Amino acid sequence: MPVSVKNILDAKGRDVMSVSREKTVAEVAAILAENKIGAVVVTSLEGRIAGIFTERDLVRVVAADGADGLQKPISSGMTANVIRCREDTSLNELMETMSTGRFRHIPVEEGGKLVGIISIGDVVKARIREVEAETEHMMAYIAG
Ligand code: AMP
């Protein structure tokens, strides 16, 4: 069975750091630092995905506006057109999407609600496990 987003979430959990669009860039920078994460998902009051803001966006805001940018709302620097996946999305599809889209985070959405997030670190970990399992199978097969 190919590895899916559900398998990854079952192993790592479904907690996602989400913020409202009014939070300032400085507040979100503190959240990223405190939680040692690279991205937050911006959600509406109903829990729908409204955007994503990552450390890349933080760098872009500071490069463009300097310290003034830190007091702006996160909505001014986030990416609003968020590419999402579902629990049944395969590991291969995740790798393809991250590689072609050139981003390292994909929120998981089910029934219009945010239910998890996959980072490139999760993808690498899952792929290593998959390769190890494949190798074990081959060795067992060869050993007869
Ligand atoms: P990252 O590599 O995840 O730090 O993101 C690089 C850029 O892509 C940033 O501008 C993000 O806002 C944007 N980005 C990250 N994840 C996604 C996503 N799933 N869909 C659309 N844009 C994204």
Side-chain angles (χ1 to χ4, degrees):
M1 274 264 285
V3 176
S4 69
V5 165
K6 181 182 184 307
N7 301 141
I8 298 174
L9 292 183
D10 283 347
K12 80 153 197 162
R14 285 171 167 74
D15 286 349
V16 191
M17 198 50 76
S18 62
V19 298
S20 67
R21 58 198 312 132
E22 294 80 31
K23 276 257 186 276
T24 65
V25 171
E27 286 170 324
V28 172
I31 291 172
L32 294 177
E34 273 161 28
N35 293 279
K36 300 189 174 71
I37 53 174
V40 294
V41 179
V42 184
T43 49
S44 67
L45 283 176
E46 307 82 46
R48 292 185 180 276
I49 299 172
I52 188 163
F53 186 94
T54 80
E55 50 204 0
R56 282 279 161 82
D57 300 313
L58 176 60
V59 168
R60 196 177 307 127
V61 168
V62 171
D65 303 329
D68 291 347
L70 297 175
Q71 297 318 317
K72 289 191 172 169
I74 205 71
S75 53
S76 64
M78 71 184 191
T79 301
N81 182 18
V82 183
I83 308 296
R84 305 121 201 251
C85 65
R86 295 178 7 171
E87 296 223 10
D88 64 1
T89 303
S90 71
L91 179 58
N92 278 348
E93 284 174 77
L94 284 179
M95 291 193 289
E96 178 74 29
T97 306
M98 283 187 180
S99 153
T100 53
R102 291 171 186 272
F103 45 71
R104 298 164 292 177
H105 301 87
I106 307 185
V108 188
E109 189 180 52
E110 284 293 339
K113 293 270 160 68
L114 176 66
V115 296
I117 189 163
I118 305 289
S119 74
I120 199 160
D122 301 324
V123 167
V124 170
K125 207 162 149 188
R127 181 65 189 134
I128 289 171
R129 289 238 177 84
E130 194 178 50
V131 170
E132 281 171 355
E134 282 165 7
T135 309
E136 259 175 47
H137 263 96
M138 296 255 270
M139 299 298 273
Y141 178 76
I142 292 165

